Amino acid sequence: MSNFSLSPAASRARLLALGLLVAVATSGCSQLKGRQGYVVDPLLTDSVTAGVDNRESVERTLGRPTFVGQFGTNEYYYVSRETRQLAFAKPRPVNQQVLRIRFDAAGNVAAVDRTGLELVSRLNPSGDKTPTLGRQRSFFEDIFGNIGAVGAPGAGAPSGQ
């Protein structure tokens, strides 16, 4: 029987290669952090108060809003979202803040509302297709289904002209 032993340099090289392999293999498992929208500064957002501030002071303090209300300019929305993602998975939200500032007709702040992740809905589609109402058609029915239907009665063609 012979004893096989590595020299200290070969042992170190083997250990370094193993460590490098483990580092590369686990690097894909780290979390990626993402931030979207408005960067929230609690000191600034808490300083906006109803009855004291107006549209101009809000814009000076917080900047332009992420978006303005859909049915008029009496609401400003500041939206911020933080996400985490593992390797190739879809990003998932871990924190979200929506700051809604409502103005009265004179342009003064009427109310300040804050919401978070508690109002976020998760939609889970079923499979790769969206279910629709109606009849199921095959590939060939989609291609050849309208043959002979052009000019047929009830197909929308003008009659008697």
Side-chain angles (χ1 to χ4, degrees):
M1 263 175 98
S2 66
N3 286 339
F4 178 73
S5 67
L6 295 173
S7 68
S11 176
R12 252 185 259 130
R14 180 181 249 177
L15 188 60
L16 180 64
L18 181 65
L20 186 61
L21 180 67
V22 168
V24 168
T26 60
S27 67
C29 297
S30 64
Q31 282 192 353
L32 300 173
K33 297 177 183 179
R35 180 180 294 267
Q36 300 164 332
Y38 181 73
V39 178
V40 176
D41 183 357
L43 185 65
L44 293 177
T45 57
D46 291 342
S47 69
V48 176
T49 55
V52 176
D53 288 307
N54 58 23
R55 193 180 313 269
E56 291 78 26
S57 67
V58 168
E59 287 184 17
R60 276 195 311 256
T61 305
L62 301 177
R64 294 288 305 150
T66 307
F67 60 92
V68 179
Q70 182 177 1
F71 300 109
T73 59
N74 288 336
E75 291 182 344
Y76 279 3
Y77 292 89
Y78 294 88
V79 181
S80 173
R81 180 179 241 188
E82 293 179 34
T83 59
R84 299 283 188 270
Q85 178 181 3
L86 284 175
F88 299 104
K90 292 181 182 177
R92 59 181 172 79
V94 293
N95 188 13
Q96 177 172 308
Q97 181 178 346
V98 177
L99 177 68
R100 179 178 75 165
I101 301 173
R102 290 186 294 146
F103 299 99
D104 60 12
N108 297 319
V109 175
V112 178
D113 303 319
R114 290 175 178 80
T115 60
L117 278 174
E118 69 274 0
L119 295 181
V120 174
S121 297
R122 181 163 179 86
L123 300 176
N124 292 321
S126 60
D128 293 335
K129 295 183 180 180
T130 303
T132 58
L133 298 176
R135 66 177 212 157
Q136 301 293 325
R137 294 173 55 164
S138 70
F139 174 74
F140 291 109
E141 284 178 322
D142 281 340
I143 293 176
F144 301 114
N146 287 330
I147 294 177
V150 177
S159 60
Q161 292 184 9

